[in-house]
């Protein structure tokens, strides 16, 4: 029987607030996996902490709900153990651009064959609406009652300057467009990063659907240089969605002779003798 969306459903229903942008993202992800004919047992979804990081609970794949800011290290370990798995890391802007910032930068330059989806709602939703690294200057929240003083982190511009090989921005309400981006990121041999703008209808009243719809437009073509892509990423009065950059480079796991030809989990460990290494520890 052909794969269908139902194959990715769990019996439990998501407890996200009604109309949260997370619904669009999980649906786009399911559609992408079905259209690429990737079966649930071939997929691992790793998440951090936050509303978005509950996503693996409601997706019928292997899942790993890790620590705050740590989906990328866990996804890296899983990919190195079994690089035949489709490994997808998910998290929010607080998780990935706050606590997980260092992992994000190093994953970009390392170029493992992973997908990283960041649900960017410009706020910490799960903990009831504090300022996040992408909240705009002047943003008033429970943690910044007089408004944010700092400038917001720009994930696309940062990824472009950190040697990322697949860099895109999507919008949770444009599900067909986001699905196509996710498919491209999965097919891409390397680190497929998508910053997904999404409304948090409960705690972010400023960046609501009207705000997004006044600014979002689809990129007509992929920029021809990183510099041009950064210029588009730095636009503030409008927000381009689409593919900002893609290039082919060797992957981290492809450069490791120990696993290049055979996944670690498939290798015979009967002849490996650890006694010498263990003796050296004492
Ligand atoms: Fe979505 Fe915001 Fe509700 Fe979290 S708090 S589920 S991000 S609407």
């Amino acid at each position: 029987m052909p794969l269908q969306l139902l194959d990715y459903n769990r019996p439990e229903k998501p407890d996200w607030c009604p109309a949260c942008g997370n619904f669009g993202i999980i649906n786009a992800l399911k559609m992408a996996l079905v259209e690429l004919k990737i079966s649930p047992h071939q997929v691992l979804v790793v998440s951090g902490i936050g509303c978005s990081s509950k996503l693996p609970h409601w997706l019928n794949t292997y899942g790993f709900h890790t620590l705050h800011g740590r989906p990328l290290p866990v996804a890296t370990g899983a990919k190195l153990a079994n690089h035949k798995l489709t490994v997808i890391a998910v998290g929010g802007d607080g998780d990935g651009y706050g606590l997980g910032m260092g992992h994000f930068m190093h994953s970009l330059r390392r170029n493992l064959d992973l997908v990283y989806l960041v649900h960017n709602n410009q706020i910490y939703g799960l903990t009831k609406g504090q300022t996040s690294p992408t909240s705009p200057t002047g943003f008033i929240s429970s943690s910044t009652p007089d408004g944010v003083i700092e400038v917001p982190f720009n994930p696309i511009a940062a990824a472009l300057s950190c040697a990322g090989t697949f860099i895109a921005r999507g919008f949770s309400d444009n599900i067909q467009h986001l699905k196509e981006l996710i498919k491209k990121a999965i097919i891409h041999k390397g680190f497929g990063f998508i910053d997904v703008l999404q409304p948090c209808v409960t705690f972010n009243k400023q960046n609501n659907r009207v705000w997004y719809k006044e600014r979002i437009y689809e990129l007509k073509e992929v920029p021809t240089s990183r510099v041009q892509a950064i210029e588009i990423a730095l636009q503030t009065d409008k927000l381009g969605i689409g593919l900002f950059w893609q290039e082919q480079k060797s992957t981290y796991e492809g450069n490791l002779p120990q696993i290049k030809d055979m996944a670690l989990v498939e290798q015979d460990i009967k002849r490996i003798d650890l006694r010498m290494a263990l003796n050296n520890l004492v």
Side-chain angles (χ1 to χ4, degrees):
M1 180 134 67
L3 208 55
Q4 43 187 321
L5 286 174
L6 284 177
D7 295 319
Y8 277 94
N9 285 353
R10 297 268 319 149
E12 305 83 16
K13 297 286 175 233
D15 66 3
W16 292 318
C17 308
C20 172
N22 286 328
F23 288 101
I25 301 173
I26 195 171
N27 287 335
L29 177 57
K30 285 181 194 172
M31 289 159 70
L33 291 166
V34 168
E35 290 187 20
L36 290 176
K37 299 186 172 53
I38 303 174
S39 297
H41 75 277
Q42 298 172 306
V43 182
L44 168 68
V45 180
V46 184
S47 67
I49 297 294
C51 293
S52 53
S53 289
K54 294 195 261 178
L55 185 146
H57 295 237
W58 304 309
L59 196 66
N60 187 32
T61 63
Y62 292 111
F64 197 148
H65 195 163
T66 69
L67 302 176
H68 211 348
R70 312 298 172 215
L72 285 172
V74 174
T76 297
K79 190 72 186 185
L80 289 176
N82 185 1
H83 60 258
K84 293 188 177 167
L85 270 181
T86 296
V87 180
I88 299 168
V90 297
D93 43 302
D95 188 78
Y97 307 147
L99 292 90
M101 171 74 96
H103 301 304
F104 174 51
M105 298 294 177
H106 292 297
S107 297
L108 287 159
R109 68 183 185 86
R110 196 170 285 139
N111 201 37
L112 274 120
D113 186 16
L114 302 173
V115 174
Y116 185 35
L117 297 179
V118 180
H119 303 217
N120 182 358
N121 55 18
Q122 294 145 77
I123 204 162
Y124 281 89
L126 188 70
T127 46
K128 303 196 183 308
Q130 296 81 12
T131 287
S132 88
T134 51
S135 302
T137 307
F139 187 81
I140 293 177
S141 75
S142 56
S143 60
T144 52
D146 295 323
V148 172
I149 298 170
E150 302 106 310
V151 293
F153 175 63
N154 187 315
I156 301 288
L160 283 160
S161 60
C162 283
T165 58
F166 182 103
I167 300 160
R169 185 194 277 145
F171 180 46
S172 60
D173 284 14
N174 197 337
I175 296 177
Q176 291 294 333
H177 181 267
L178 179 58
K179 173 202 73 178
E180 291 302 323
L181 287 180
I182 296 173
K183 281 166 66 180
K184 284 186 184 140
I186 292 173
I187 292 167
H188 176 72
K189 283 279 160 235
F191 190 71
F193 163 60
I194 309 178
D195 180 64
V196 188
L197 301 171
Q198 65 140 129
C200 168
V201 293
T202 303
F203 293 111
N204 190 342
K205 305 294 184 191
Q206 178 176 322
N207 309 114
N208 55 24
R209 286 194 158 84
V210 174
W211 185 92
Y212 280 119
K213 285 188 177 143
E214 284 170 353
R215 287 163 179 78
I216 280 178
Y217 71 100
E218 289 186 24
L219 300 181
K220 298 228 175 330
E221 52 196 25
V222 183
T224 51
S225 70
R226 282 186 189 262
V227 172
Q228 188 190 27
I230 287 175
E231 282 170 5
I232 298 170
L234 292 177
Q235 292 171 340
T236 50
D237 52 336
K238 45 190 184 169
L239 295 165
I241 57 169
L243 187 54
F244 278 73
W245 189 250
Q246 184 172 21
E247 70 179 282
Q248 294 304 327
K249 279 189 186 162
S250 59
T251 61
Y252 185 84
E253 62 272 34
N255 286 330
L256 286 176
Q258 298 90 338
I259 61 170
K260 187 159 62 74
D261 300 319
M262 186 182 280
L264 198 59
V265 291
E266 292 174 343
Q267 295 184 24
D268 184 0
I269 58 169
K270 282 203 290 281
R271 287 183 293 113
I272 294 177
D273 188 351
L274 288 176
R275 275 174 297 189
M276 195 186 297
L278 292 173
N279 288 339
N280 286 339
L281 290 177
V282 285

